[in-house]
Amino acid sequence: MELLLEGLRKCTSKGPDTEMNYCNTLNRESDIFSTFYEDWKSNKFDAFNPTFKTIPKFFHEIPEDADSLPLKLREEGRSLFLQRRNTTLLDNNELRTLWVLLDKYHSPPNVREEQLISYVDLKKVVGKASYKCKEYFTAKLFAQLQQNDVYNRISILALFNYAMRKAWLQQTRIGLSLYDASGKGYLRESDLESYILDLIPTLPQLDGLEKSFHSFYVCTAVRKFLFFLDPMRTGKIRIQDILACSFLDDLLELRDGNLPKDLQDANWFSAPSALRVYGQYLNLDKDHNGMLSKNELAGLGTGTLTSVFLERVYQECLTYEGEMDYKTYLDFVLALENRQEPQSLHYFFRILDIKGKGYLDAFTLNYFFRAIQDQMKQNGQDPVNFQDVKDEMFDMIKPADPSKITLQDILNCGQGGTLISILIDLNGFWNHENRETRGIEGPTDI
């Protein structure tokens, strides 16, 4: 580069004609170099692989025509693949054999009556058990399950539970994938409804449900998946997210024919829980038109939800000619019964944010709390001063901006459910105000 600059300076000193000739020479050299380089590059690629000249098609769109042959071939191929994948999983007989071998080859001495096994003995088990166990019990897994044993052993119970859990997860993933009509790794609402409907006969706890109620049960069950796993309301849920959450565990818990009543009542998917929610809906529907008006919804629970809050619910949520259907009602109930959950806080924040600015200021808080004060007057109580409550709410949330409460502030503070209850429900506000004398923290659920 320095030589080129030096030559250019010399040419410039000799006059403009010499400078032009030198620049023309440089341009010709550049053209010649480009020609030789392109020839060399072409010959080089041809020498290695002639297919380099043609880029193969590496992406094929999924056929949209439901009756097209390519789509049916794709579905058949996926089905065969999943069936083949299912044969690689440990079945019940193989799991029983595995437990017998782990019990036989455990490595003494036992610690606190817990059977442990060394890596050498584990290799003996893998050699005698099903060939499928080689994929499960690796050296890496053995190292991860170490529990500071002086003989470097691990619990055979932990190993067996791992094998069962992994087999169950893979089997469930395959089962869910069979309902994935698009083959893209997610289930639409209709796909999930088909899955749960086919699952009902395998759950002894649901044997008592009338067939006429099955469609309502499916709607109730699917709504929980959609409310918590589809916050953007796209109408589809990733299979990976379904497997990662605990909802399937709760649903499959209904396989236990002797499930205690308290566990049934706490399980959203149980028959008593589904009948309770649907029964509430029917009781609220005074005119029996299958929908709920704002006045009908006001009777939910203790009937202490404020009219201002309910007005906002009907403004923000999906309604049909000003009335709420069962699906929208289920979202409402799920939000109320799980007020501390992030998805519920998102739901309520959208309703409380009357300005649509992404934050709650003193004006907004006062707008909702005035309805609480009105209810207190109607019940013969002296209304609480808003300024006192406002300061308490800001102290509780500790927002980044002392004049505004954002959704992120509510999510970060861990007291979001309490804030919601103070603003929307007289009973929730009363529970918070008397939490010390009543020995509770925060509001009770409606």
Side-chain angles (χ1 to χ4, degrees):
M1 180 61 72
E2 292 180 358
L3 292 174
L4 278 172
L5 291 175
E6 182 63 26
L8 186 59
R9 281 195 294 270
K10 289 180 180 180
C11 290
T12 305
S13 63
K14 292 181 182 180
D17 293 338
T18 306
E19 179 183 352
M20 184 177 296
N21 292 335
Y22 183 76
C23 291
N24 291 335
T25 302
L26 287 179
N27 290 334
R28 285 197 301 273
E29 288 179 353
S30 177
D31 293 339
I32 294 171
F33 173 78
S34 298
T35 301
F36 277 111
Y37 177 73
E38 292 296 334
D39 291 342
W40 170 82
K41 185 171 68 172
S42 177
N43 293 333
K44 178 182 177 183
F45 287 163
D46 287 344
F48 280 105
N49 192 332
T51 62
F52 285 174
K53 287 186 174 181
T54 305
I55 300 177
K57 186 174 182 179
F58 55 89
F59 174 73
H60 298 270
E61 292 184 359
I62 298 176
E64 295 183 359
D65 186 1
D67 296 326
S68 67
L69 181 60
L71 183 61
K72 294 195 176 296
L73 286 173
R74 184 175 184 275
E75 291 177 353
E76 186 65 22
R78 284 186 66 251
S79 177
L80 291 174
F81 167 77
L82 293 172
Q83 291 175 20
R84 249 192 338 265
R85 187 77 179 102
N86 197 43
T87 61
T88 65
L89 305 180
L90 290 171
D91 58 31
N92 290 335
N93 291 331
E94 290 167 331
L95 285 170
R96 291 193 195 95
T97 302
L98 174 62
W99 176 253
V100 171
L101 290 171
L102 286 171
D103 181 60
K104 178 179 179 180
Y105 288 96
H106 75 274
S107 310
N110 296 341
V111 178
R112 296 185 300 275
E113 299 182 356
E114 183 180 16
Q115 293 180 320
L116 306 175
I117 191 169
S118 66
Y119 185 65
V120 173
D121 290 330
L122 178 61
K123 290 176 69 176
K124 295 178 184 176
V125 172
V126 173
K128 293 181 177 295
S130 169
Y131 70 94
K132 302 174 187 176
C133 291
K134 293 181 180 179
E135 179 186 344
Y136 288 73
F137 301 140
T138 62
K140 181 179 180 181
L141 171 67
F142 188 88
Q144 290 174 335
L145 294 178
Q146 283 292 327
Q147 51 187 15
N148 299 322
D149 179 66
V150 293
Y151 301 103
N152 294 322
R153 301 169 301 171
I154 61 175
S155 167
I156 67 170
L157 184 60
L159 269 175
F160 186 71
N161 286 338
Y162 168 81
M164 283 201 306
R165 181 67 179 173
K166 184 171 182 178
W168 178 82
L169 279 174
Q170 291 176 331
Q171 186 178 29
T172 306
R173 186 182 190 93
I174 291 172
L176 289 169
S177 297
L178 290 172
Y179 291 85
D180 178 12
S182 66
K184 294 182 178 180
Y186 61 77
L187 297 183
R188 299 167 301 179
E189 183 175 359
S190 58
D191 300 330
L192 198 53
E193 287 174 347
S194 299
Y195 172 75
I196 293 179
L197 186 62
D198 292 342
L199 198 63
I200 289 177
T202 69
L203 305 176
Q205 283 292 334
L206 302 180
D207 286 345
L209 286 181
E210 296 288 340
K211 285 191 176 181
S212 59
F213 183 70
H214 282 187
S215 60
F216 294 100
Y217 174 82
V218 169
C219 179
T220 305
V222 168
R223 211 64 209 161
K224 183 165 187 176
F225 284 93
L226 291 171
F227 183 81
F228 287 102
L229 302 182
D230 182 27
M232 301 304 293
R233 300 296 180 260
T234 61
K236 56 188 179 183
I237 307 172
R238 294 191 309 168
I239 292 176
Q240 180 180 345
D241 293 337
I242 296 176
L243 293 172
C245 74
S246 62
F247 298 160
L248 273 184
D249 291 332
D250 296 339
L251 185 59
L252 297 179
E253 186 179 53
L254 304 180
R255 288 177 174 173
D256 183 1
N258 299 315
L259 192 66
K261 187 178 184 304
D262 57 333
L263 293 181
Q264 291 185 46
D265 294 337
N267 190 332
W268 174 266
F269 302 102
S270 69
S273 177
L275 290 169
R276 170 184 64 84
V277 175
Y278 186 64
Q280 284 178 344
Y281 185 80
L282 293 180
N283 290 333
L284 291 172
D285 183 17
K286 301 301 183 183
D287 58 7
H288 307 293
N289 68 340
M291 310 280 276
L292 298 182
S293 66
K294 185 180 68 172
N295 291 334
E296 289 173 333
L297 185 62
L300 179 64
T302 56
T304 53
L305 293 172
T306 67
S307 59
V308 172
F309 166 67
L310 292 174
E311 183 68 35
R312 284 290 298 159
V313 169
Y314 276 76
Q315 289 174 2
E316 289 295 323
C317 297
L318 177 64
T319 58
Y320 300 87
E321 297 182 357
E323 295 199 318
M324 179 183 292
D325 70 343
Y326 187 53
K327 287 185 178 181
T328 306
Y329 171 77
L330 288 172
D331 287 345
F332 185 71
V333 171
L334 284 166
L336 285 175
E337 294 187 354
N338 302 274
R339 299 183 196 184
Q340 292 289 2
E341 296 298 323
Q343 295 85 349
S344 299
L345 296 176
H346 277 266
Y347 178 93
F348 285 119
F349 188 85
R350 188 178 81 252
I351 294 171
L352 295 177
D353 184 15
I354 56 176
K355 296 181 179 180
K357 299 290 186 180
Y359 61 82
L360 310 179
D361 55 15
F363 175 84
T364 303
L365 299 179
N366 187 34
Y367 176 79
F368 284 97
F369 191 72
R370 278 204 307 266
I372 297 290
Q373 292 174 320
D374 292 340
Q375 284 187 331
M376 295 180 74
K377 292 177 183 177
Q378 293 171 8
N379 292 326
Q381 303 172 351
D382 293 330
V384 179
N385 185 275
F386 169 70
Q387 290 299 325
D388 296 336
V389 177
K390 184 199 78 171
D391 293 340
E392 185 177 355
M393 286 189 286
F394 273 91
D395 290 341
M396 178 173 57
I397 303 301
K398 298 180 176 60
D401 185 332
S403 64
K404 302 174 182 177
I405 297 176
T406 65
L407 175 60
Q408 194 59 50
D409 293 328
I410 295 175
L411 293 172
N412 291 342
C413 72
Q415 297 292 327
T418 303
L419 174 69
I420 300 300
S421 298
I422 291 173
L423 294 174
I424 71 172
D425 176 25
L426 175 61
N427 190 47
F429 171 73
W430 188 88
N431 286 338
H432 174 70
E433 283 291 290
N434 298 275
R435 61 192 180 282
E436 294 180 358
T437 57
R438 300 181 74 238
I440 64 172
E441 275 295 332
T444 55
D445 291 333
I446 289 180

